[in-house]
Amino acid sequence: DADTDFFAAGGDSLIAMHAARRIASTLGQACSALQFFRTPTVRGMAAALVAQAAQVPAAGVLSFGSG
């Protein structure tokens, strides 16, 4: 269930660290075990990662200022 709390389902800080590394390597996006404490559900984690990705420009994309 996307709304089940990671820790209530048996997760712990060691599993969170492993999962964070896996998420980071799979998505190529920063993720830390701390994120599991902030958003301990799949739905919350996904929303946080999408929001984070929206704030970071894609690699290789150039931004041009208006001036």
Side-chain angles (χ1 to χ4, degrees):
D1 177 1
D3 294 312
T4 299
D5 184 281
F6 171 78
F7 298 101
D12 59 33
S13 58
L14 292 175
I15 295 171
M17 287 189 305
H18 176 73
R21 280 193 309 266
R22 187 81 181 262
I23 289 168
S25 68
T26 300
L27 299 179
Q29 182 176 335
C31 182
S32 72
L34 180 59
Q35 190 65 43
F36 282 86
F37 289 94
R38 291 182 180 147
T39 55
T41 66
V42 171
R43 188 180 313 279
M45 179 67 77
L49 291 169
V50 167
Q52 178 182 327
Q55 294 176 359
V56 178
V61 174
L62 299 176
S63 307
F64 294 97
S66 60

Short mmCIF file of all heavy atoms in Angstrom, two decimals:
data_model
loop_
_atom_site.label_atom_id
_atom_site.label_comp_id
_atom_site.label_asym_id
_atom_site.label_seq_id
_atom_site.Cartn_x
_atom_site.Cartn_y
_atom_site.Cartn_z
N ASP A 1 0.85 -1.18 0.00
CA ASP A 1 0.00 0.00 0.00
C ASP A 1 0.89 1.23 0.00
O ASP A 1 1.82 1.34 0.79
CB ASP A 1 -0.89 -0.07 1.22
CG ASP A 1 -1.79 1.13 1.42
OD1 ASP A 1 -1.76 2.06 0.60
OD2 ASP A 1 -2.52 1.13 2.40
N ALA A 2 0.60 2.16 -0.83
CA ALA A 2 1.42 3.37 -0.99
C ALA A 2 1.37 4.29 0.22
O ALA A 2 2.19 5.19 0.34
CB ALA A 2 0.97 4.14 -2.23
N ASP A 3 0.42 4.06 1.12
CA ASP A 3 0.30 4.92 2.30
C ASP A 3 0.74 4.23 3.59
O ASP A 3 0.58 4.79 4.67
CB ASP A 3 -1.15 5.40 2.44
CG ASP A 3 -1.53 6.31 1.28
OD1 ASP A 3 -0.74 7.22 0.96
OD2 ASP A 3 -2.59 6.08 0.67
N THR A 4 1.33 3.05 3.49
CA THR A 4 1.83 2.35 4.66
C THR A 4 3.15 2.96 5.10
O THR A 4 4.04 3.19 4.28
CB THR A 4 2.04 0.85 4.36
OG1 THR A 4 0.78 0.28 4.01
CG2 THR A 4 2.60 0.11 5.55
N ASP A 5 3.28 3.23 6.39
CA ASP A 5 4.50 3.81 6.94
C ASP A 5 5.64 2.79 6.84
O ASP A 5 5.49 1.63 7.23
CB ASP A 5 4.25 4.19 8.40
CG ASP A 5 5.44 4.89 9.02
OD1 ASP A 5 6.41 4.18 9.38
OD2 ASP A 5 5.40 6.11 9.14
N PHE A 6 6.75 3.22 6.30
CA PHE A 6 7.93 2.39 6.09
C PHE A 6 8.37 1.72 7.41
O PHE A 6 8.67 0.53 7.44
CB PHE A 6 9.06 3.26 5.54
CG PHE A 6 10.40 2.60 5.46
CD1 PHE A 6 10.69 1.71 4.44
CD2 PHE A 6 11.39 2.89 6.38
CE1 PHE A 6 11.92 1.09 4.36
CE2 PHE A 6 12.63 2.30 6.31
CZ PHE A 6 12.90 1.39 5.29
N PHE A 7 8.41 2.48 8.48
CA PHE A 7 8.89 1.96 9.76
C PHE A 7 7.85 1.07 10.43
O PHE A 7 8.21 0.06 11.04
CB PHE A 7 9.32 3.11 10.67
CG PHE A 7 10.46 3.89 10.06
CD1 PHE A 7 10.24 5.10 9.43
CD2 PHE A 7 11.75 3.39 10.08
CE1 PHE A 7 11.28 5.81 8.85
CE2 PHE A 7 12.80 4.07 9.49
CZ PHE A 7 12.56 5.28 8.87
N ALA A 8 6.58 1.39 10.28
CA ALA A 8 5.52 0.54 10.83
C ALA A 8 5.49 -0.81 10.13
O ALA A 8 5.08 -1.81 10.72
CB ALA A 8 4.18 1.24 10.71
N ALA A 9 5.94 -0.84 8.88
CA ALA A 9 5.96 -2.08 8.10
C ALA A 9 7.23 -2.91 8.37
O ALA A 9 7.45 -3.92 7.73
CB ALA A 9 5.85 -1.77 6.62
N GLY A 10 8.07 -2.45 9.31
CA GLY A 10 9.26 -3.22 9.66
C GLY A 10 10.57 -2.63 9.17
O GLY A 10 11.64 -3.20 9.41
N GLY A 11 10.51 -1.50 8.49
CA GLY A 11 11.74 -0.85 8.02
C GLY A 11 12.52 -0.28 9.19
O GLY A 11 11.95 0.04 10.23
N ASP A 12 13.82 -0.15 9.02
CA ASP A 12 14.66 0.47 10.04
C ASP A 12 15.70 1.35 9.34
O ASP A 12 15.71 1.45 8.11
CB ASP A 12 15.33 -0.57 10.94
CG ASP A 12 16.21 -1.56 10.19
OD1 ASP A 12 16.84 -1.18 9.18
OD2 ASP A 12 16.29 -2.72 10.61
N SER A 13 16.56 1.99 10.11
CA SER A 13 17.50 2.95 9.53
C SER A 13 18.49 2.28 8.58
O SER A 13 18.88 2.89 7.57
CB SER A 13 18.23 3.71 10.62
OG SER A 13 18.93 2.83 11.47
N LEU A 14 18.89 1.06 8.84
CA LEU A 14 19.82 0.37 7.94
C LEU A 14 19.15 0.06 6.59
O LEU A 14 19.76 0.24 5.54
CB LEU A 14 20.34 -0.92 8.57
CG LEU A 14 21.28 -0.72 9.76
CD1 LEU A 14 21.64 -2.06 10.38
CD2 LEU A 14 22.52 0.04 9.35
N ILE A 15 17.93 -0.39 6.64
CA ILE A 15 17.19 -0.65 5.40
C ILE A 15 16.95 0.66 4.66
O ILE A 15 17.05 0.72 3.43
CB ILE A 15 15.86 -1.38 5.69
CG1 ILE A 15 16.14 -2.77 6.28
CG2 ILE A 15 15.01 -1.50 4.43
CD1 ILE A 15 14.91 -3.48 6.81
N ALA A 16 16.66 1.73 5.41
CA ALA A 16 16.44 3.04 4.79
C ALA A 16 17.70 3.51 4.07
O ALA A 16 17.62 4.04 2.95
CB ALA A 16 16.01 4.06 5.84
N MET A 17 18.88 3.31 4.68
CA MET A 17 20.13 3.71 4.02
C MET A 17 20.35 2.92 2.74
O MET A 17 20.72 3.49 1.71
CB MET A 17 21.32 3.52 4.98
CG MET A 17 21.35 4.55 6.08
SD MET A 17 22.85 4.53 7.08
CE MET A 17 22.94 2.85 7.65
N HIS A 18 20.10 1.62 2.78
CA HIS A 18 20.26 0.79 1.58
C HIS A 18 19.27 1.22 0.49
O HIS A 18 19.64 1.37 -0.67
CB HIS A 18 20.07 -0.68 1.94
CG HIS A 18 20.12 -1.58 0.76
ND1 HIS A 18 21.29 -1.87 0.10
CD2 HIS A 18 19.14 -2.25 0.11
CE1 HIS A 18 21.03 -2.68 -0.91
NE2 HIS A 18 19.73 -2.92 -0.92
N ALA A 19 18.03 1.43 0.89
CA ALA A 19 17.00 1.83 -0.08
C ALA A 19 17.32 3.20 -0.67
O ALA A 19 17.13 3.41 -1.87
CB ALA A 19 15.63 1.84 0.59
N ALA A 20 17.80 4.12 0.14
CA ALA A 20 18.15 5.46 -0.35
C ALA A 20 19.27 5.38 -1.39
O ALA A 20 19.20 6.05 -2.42
CB ALA A 20 18.56 6.36 0.81
N ARG A 21 20.28 4.55 -1.13
CA ARG A 21 21.36 4.38 -2.11
C ARG A 21 20.82 3.79 -3.40
O ARG A 21 21.19 4.18 -4.50
CB ARG A 21 22.46 3.48 -1.55
CG ARG A 21 23.40 4.19 -0.61
CD ARG A 21 24.64 3.37 -0.34
NE ARG A 21 24.37 2.00 0.08
CZ ARG A 21 24.28 1.59 1.34
NH1 ARG A 21 24.48 2.44 2.31
NH2 ARG A 21 24.03 0.33 1.62
N ARG A 22 19.91 2.83 -3.27
CA ARG A 22 19.33 2.18 -4.45
C ARG A 22 18.49 3.16 -5.26
O ARG A 22 18.56 3.19 -6.49
CB ARG A 22 18.49 0.99 -3.99
CG ARG A 22 17.95 0.13 -5.07
CD ARG A 22 19.01 -0.84 -5.54
NE ARG A 22 18.53 -1.67 -6.60
CZ ARG A 22 18.06 -2.90 -6.46
NH1 ARG A 22 18.05 -3.46 -5.28
NH2 ARG A 22 17.64 -3.57 -7.49
N ILE A 23 17.69 3.96 -4.57
CA ILE A 23 16.87 4.97 -5.24
C ILE A 23 17.78 5.96 -5.97
O ILE A 23 17.55 6.28 -7.14
CB ILE A 23 15.96 5.71 -4.24
CG1 ILE A 23 14.86 4.76 -3.75
CG2 ILE A 23 15.36 6.97 -4.86
CD1 ILE A 23 14.07 5.27 -2.56
N ALA A 24 18.82 6.43 -5.28
CA ALA A 24 19.74 7.41 -5.87
C ALA A 24 20.43 6.85 -7.11
O ALA A 24 20.53 7.52 -8.13
CB ALA A 24 20.77 7.85 -4.84
N SER A 25 20.89 5.60 -7.04
CA SER A 25 21.59 5.03 -8.19
C SER A 25 20.63 4.72 -9.34
O SER A 25 20.97 4.89 -10.50
CB SER A 25 22.38 3.79 -7.79
OG SER A 25 21.52 2.73 -7.45
N THR A 26 19.43 4.31 -9.02
CA THR A 26 18.45 3.98 -10.06
C THR A 26 17.92 5.22 -10.76
O THR A 26 17.82 5.26 -11.98
CB THR A 26 17.27 3.19 -9.45
OG1 THR A 26 17.78 1.98 -8.87
CG2 THR A 26 16.24 2.84 -10.50
N LEU A 27 17.61 6.25 -9.97
CA LEU A 27 17.02 7.46 -10.54
C LEU A 27 18.06 8.51 -10.91
O LEU A 27 17.73 9.49 -11.57
CB LEU A 27 16.02 8.08 -9.55
CG LEU A 27 14.82 7.22 -9.16
CD1 LEU A 27 13.95 7.96 -8.16
CD2 LEU A 27 14.03 6.83 -10.39
N GLY A 28 19.29 8.33 -10.43
CA GLY A 28 20.31 9.33 -10.68
C GLY A 28 19.99 10.64 -9.98
O GLY A 28 20.27 11.72 -10.47
N GLN A 29 19.38 10.53 -8.83
CA GLN A 29 18.89 11.68 -8.09
C GLN A 29 19.24 11.50 -6.62
O GLN A 29 19.18 10.39 -6.11
CB GLN A 29 17.37 11.75 -8.27
CG GLN A 29 16.70 12.90 -7.63
CD GLN A 29 15.22 12.92 -7.97
OE1 GLN A 29 14.80 12.39 -8.99
NE2 GLN A 29 14.44 13.50 -7.11
N ALA A 30 19.59 12.57 -5.95
CA ALA A 30 19.95 12.49 -4.54
C ALA A 30 18.79 11.97 -3.70
O ALA A 30 17.64 12.34 -3.91
CB ALA A 30 20.38 13.86 -4.03
N CYS A 31 19.12 11.09 -2.79
CA CYS A 31 18.14 10.55 -1.85
C CYS A 31 18.92 10.11 -0.62
O CYS A 31 19.99 9.53 -0.74
CB CYS A 31 17.39 9.38 -2.46
SG CYS A 31 16.11 8.71 -1.36
N SER A 32 18.41 10.40 0.56
CA SER A 32 19.10 10.00 1.78
C SER A 32 18.15 9.25 2.70
O SER A 32 16.93 9.32 2.54
CB SER A 32 19.65 11.23 2.51
OG SER A 32 18.60 11.97 3.09
N ALA A 33 18.73 8.56 3.67
CA ALA A 33 17.91 7.85 4.65
C ALA A 33 17.02 8.83 5.41
O ALA A 33 15.90 8.48 5.81
CB ALA A 33 18.79 7.07 5.62
N LEU A 34 17.48 10.05 5.58
CA LEU A 34 16.69 11.07 6.26
C LEU A 34 15.35 11.29 5.57
O LEU A 34 14.34 11.56 6.22
CB LEU A 34 17.48 12.38 6.33
CG LEU A 34 16.81 13.55 7.01
CD1 LEU A 34 16.46 13.21 8.46
CD2 LEU A 34 17.71 14.77 6.97
N GLN A 35 15.33 11.13 4.24
CA GLN A 35 14.09 11.30 3.49
C GLN A 35 13.03 10.30 3.95
O GLN A 35 11.84 10.61 3.96
CB GLN A 35 14.36 11.13 1.99
CG GLN A 35 13.20 11.52 1.12
CD GLN A 35 12.87 13.00 1.20
OE1 GLN A 35 13.76 13.84 1.20
NE2 GLN A 35 11.61 13.31 1.30
N PHE A 36 13.44 9.12 4.37
CA PHE A 36 12.48 8.12 4.86
C PHE A 36 11.83 8.56 6.17
O PHE A 36 10.69 8.22 6.44
CB PHE A 36 13.16 6.76 5.05
CG PHE A 36 13.36 6.02 3.76
CD1 PHE A 36 14.48 6.24 2.98
CD2 PHE A 36 12.42 5.10 3.32
CE1 PHE A 36 14.67 5.56 1.78
CE2 PHE A 36 12.59 4.43 2.13
CZ PHE A 36 13.72 4.66 1.36
N PHE A 37 12.57 9.32 6.98
CA PHE A 37 12.00 9.83 8.22
C PHE A 37 11.05 10.99 7.93
O PHE A 37 10.04 11.15 8.61
CB PHE A 37 13.11 10.28 9.18
CG PHE A 37 13.89 9.13 9.75
CD1 PHE A 37 15.06 8.72 9.14
CD2 PHE A 37 13.44 8.45 10.87
CE1 PHE A 37 15.78 7.65 9.65
CE2 PHE A 37 14.15 7.38 11.39
CZ PHE A 37 15.33 6.98 10.77
N ARG A 38 11.38 11.79 6.93
CA ARG A 38 10.53 12.93 6.57
C ARG A 38 9.26 12.49 5.86
O ARG A 38 8.19 13.05 6.07
CB ARG A 38 11.29 13.89 5.66
CG ARG A 38 12.40 14.61 6.35
CD ARG A 38 13.07 15.57 5.39
NE ARG A 38 14.15 16.27 6.05
CZ ARG A 38 15.26 16.65 5.44
NH1 ARG A 38 15.43 16.42 4.14
NH2 ARG A 38 16.20 17.28 6.10
N THR A 39 9.37 11.53 4.96
CA THR A 39 8.22 11.04 4.19
C THR A 39 8.27 9.51 4.18
O THR A 39 8.77 8.91 3.24
CB THR A 39 8.25 11.58 2.75
OG1 THR A 39 9.51 11.23 2.16
CG2 THR A 39 8.07 13.07 2.69
N PRO A 40 7.75 8.88 5.23
CA PRO A 40 7.92 7.44 5.38
C PRO A 40 6.95 6.55 4.59
O PRO A 40 6.88 5.35 4.84
CB PRO A 40 7.72 7.24 6.88
CG PRO A 40 6.78 8.32 7.28
CD PRO A 40 7.14 9.49 6.40
N THR A 41 6.23 7.12 3.63
CA THR A 41 5.35 6.29 2.80
C THR A 41 5.82 6.34 1.36
O THR A 41 6.52 7.27 0.95
CB THR A 41 3.88 6.79 2.85
OG1 THR A 41 3.82 8.08 2.26
CG2 THR A 41 3.34 6.83 4.28
N VAL A 42 5.45 5.35 0.57
CA VAL A 42 5.81 5.33 -0.85
C VAL A 42 5.23 6.56 -1.54
O VAL A 42 5.91 7.23 -2.33
CB VAL A 42 5.31 4.03 -1.53
CG1 VAL A 42 5.49 4.10 -3.03
CG2 VAL A 42 6.02 2.82 -0.95
N ARG A 43 3.99 6.88 -1.23
CA ARG A 43 3.34 8.04 -1.86
C ARG A 43 4.10 9.33 -1.50
O ARG A 43 4.37 10.17 -2.35
CB ARG A 43 1.88 8.14 -1.42
CG ARG A 43 1.10 9.20 -2.17
CD ARG A 43 -0.36 9.28 -1.71
NE ARG A 43 -1.04 8.00 -1.60
CZ ARG A 43 -1.57 7.32 -2.63
NH1 ARG A 43 -1.50 7.80 -3.84
NH2 ARG A 43 -2.18 6.16 -2.41
N GLY A 44 4.46 9.47 -0.23
CA GLY A 44 5.19 10.66 0.21
C GLY A 44 6.58 10.74 -0.40
O GLY A 44 7.03 11.81 -0.81
N MET A 45 7.27 9.61 -0.45
CA MET A 45 8.61 9.56 -1.03
C MET A 45 8.55 9.93 -2.51
O MET A 45 9.37 10.70 -3.00
CB MET A 45 9.22 8.18 -0.84
CG MET A 45 10.60 8.03 -1.43
SD MET A 45 11.87 9.00 -0.61
CE MET A 45 12.13 8.01 0.84
N ALA A 46 7.60 9.37 -3.23
CA ALA A 46 7.46 9.66 -4.66
C ALA A 46 7.19 11.14 -4.88
O ALA A 46 7.81 11.77 -5.75
CB ALA A 46 6.34 8.81 -5.26
N ALA A 47 6.31 11.72 -4.09
CA ALA A 47 6.00 13.15 -4.23
C ALA A 47 7.23 14.00 -3.94
O ALA A 47 7.50 14.98 -4.65
CB ALA A 47 4.85 13.54 -3.30
N ALA A 48 8.00 13.63 -2.92
CA ALA A 48 9.21 14.38 -2.58
C ALA A 48 10.24 14.28 -3.68
O ALA A 48 10.89 15.28 -4.03
CB ALA A 48 9.78 13.87 -1.26
N LEU A 49 10.40 13.10 -4.26
CA LEU A 49 11.38 12.92 -5.34
C LEU A 49 10.96 13.68 -6.60
O LEU A 49 11.80 14.27 -7.29
CB LEU A 49 11.58 11.44 -5.63
CG LEU A 49 12.31 10.65 -4.53
CD1 LEU A 49 12.22 9.16 -4.80
CD2 LEU A 49 13.75 11.10 -4.40
N VAL A 50 9.68 13.68 -6.91
CA VAL A 50 9.18 14.43 -8.07
C VAL A 50 9.40 15.93 -7.85
O VAL A 50 9.88 16.63 -8.75
CB VAL A 50 7.69 14.12 -8.34
CG1 VAL A 50 7.09 15.11 -9.32
CG2 VAL A 50 7.54 12.70 -8.85
N ALA A 51 9.10 16.41 -6.65
CA ALA A 51 9.29 17.83 -6.35
C ALA A 51 10.77 18.19 -6.43
O ALA A 51 11.13 19.25 -6.97
CB ALA A 51 8.74 18.15 -4.96
N GLN A 52 11.62 17.33 -5.92
CA GLN A 52 13.06 17.57 -5.97
C GLN A 52 13.55 17.59 -7.42
O GLN A 52 14.34 18.46 -7.79
CB GLN A 52 13.80 16.48 -5.19
CG GLN A 52 15.30 16.61 -5.21
CD GLN A 52 15.97 15.47 -4.46
OE1 GLN A 52 15.44 14.97 -3.48
NE2 GLN A 52 17.12 15.06 -4.93
N ALA A 53 13.09 16.67 -8.22
CA ALA A 53 13.50 16.60 -9.62
C ALA A 53 13.06 17.85 -10.39
O ALA A 53 13.76 18.31 -11.28
CB ALA A 53 12.94 15.35 -10.29
N ALA A 54 11.91 18.40 -10.04
CA ALA A 54 11.41 19.59 -10.72
C ALA A 54 12.27 20.82 -10.41
O ALA A 54 12.30 21.76 -11.20
CB ALA A 54 9.97 19.86 -10.31
N GLN A 55 13.00 20.78 -9.30
CA GLN A 55 13.83 21.92 -8.91
C GLN A 55 15.24 21.85 -9.48
O GLN A 55 15.95 22.83 -9.47
CB GLN A 55 13.93 21.99 -7.39
CG GLN A 55 12.61 22.30 -6.73
CD GLN A 55 12.72 22.26 -5.22
OE1 GLN A 55 13.77 21.98 -4.66
NE2 GLN A 55 11.62 22.54 -4.56
N VAL A 56 15.66 20.68 -9.95
CA VAL A 56 17.03 20.50 -10.45
C VAL A 56 17.00 20.43 -11.96
O VAL A 56 16.32 19.58 -12.53
CB VAL A 56 17.63 19.18 -9.88
CG1 VAL A 56 19.02 18.95 -10.42
CG2 VAL A 56 17.62 19.21 -8.36
N PRO A 57 17.76 21.31 -12.65
CA PRO A 57 17.79 21.23 -14.11
C PRO A 57 18.39 19.91 -14.58
O PRO A 57 19.28 19.37 -13.93
CB PRO A 57 18.68 22.40 -14.52
CG PRO A 57 19.00 23.16 -13.29
CD PRO A 57 18.57 22.35 -12.11
N ALA A 58 17.89 19.41 -15.67
CA ALA A 58 18.41 18.15 -16.22
C ALA A 58 19.86 18.33 -16.64
O ALA A 58 20.26 19.39 -17.09
CB ALA A 58 17.55 17.74 -17.42
N ALA A 59 20.64 17.29 -16.52
CA ALA A 59 22.05 17.33 -16.90
C ALA A 59 22.17 17.61 -18.39
O ALA A 59 21.44 17.07 -19.20
CB ALA A 59 22.72 16.01 -16.56
N GLY A 60 23.09 18.47 -18.73
CA GLY A 60 23.34 18.77 -20.14
C GLY A 60 22.41 19.81 -20.72
O GLY A 60 22.53 20.17 -21.89
N VAL A 61 21.48 20.32 -19.94
CA VAL A 61 20.56 21.35 -20.43
C VAL A 61 21.13 22.70 -20.07
O VAL A 61 21.49 22.95 -18.93
CB VAL A 61 19.15 21.18 -19.82
CG1 VAL A 61 18.24 22.32 -20.23
CG2 VAL A 61 18.57 19.85 -20.23
N LEU A 62 21.22 23.57 -21.02
CA LEU A 62 21.75 24.91 -20.78
C LEU A 62 20.62 25.88 -20.47
O LEU A 62 19.57 25.84 -21.09
CB LEU A 62 22.51 25.40 -22.01
CG LEU A 62 23.72 24.58 -22.44
CD1 LEU A 62 24.28 25.15 -23.73
CD2 LEU A 62 24.77 24.58 -21.35
N SER A 63 20.88 26.75 -19.51
CA SER A 63 19.93 27.82 -19.19
C SER A 63 20.50 29.12 -19.71
O SER A 63 21.67 29.39 -19.54
CB SER A 63 19.74 27.98 -17.68
OG SER A 63 19.42 26.82 -17.05
N PHE A 64 19.66 29.89 -20.30
CA PHE A 64 20.09 31.20 -20.81
C PHE A 64 19.32 32.27 -20.06
O PHE A 64 18.11 32.21 -19.96
CB PHE A 64 19.81 31.31 -22.31
CG PHE A 64 20.64 30.36 -23.11
CD1 PHE A 64 20.13 29.14 -23.52
CD2 PHE A 64 21.96 30.67 -23.44
CE1 PHE A 64 20.89 28.26 -24.25
CE2 PHE A 64 22.74 29.78 -24.17
CZ PHE A 64 22.20 28.57 -24.57
N GLY A 65 20.06 33.24 -19.55
CA GLY A 65 19.44 34.34 -18.84
C GLY A 65 18.80 35.32 -19.82
O GLY A 65 19.02 35.25 -21.03
N SER A 66 18.01 36.21 -19.29
CA SER A 66 17.35 37.19 -20.14
C SER A 66 18.21 38.43 -20.40
O SER A 66 17.80 39.31 -21.11
CB SER A 66 16.01 37.62 -19.50
OG SER A 66 16.26 38.19 -18.24
N GLY A 67 19.40 38.45 -19.81
CA GLY A 67 20.21 39.64 -19.94
C GLY A 67 21.43 39.47 -20.66
O GLY A 67 22.08 39.30 -21.46
#
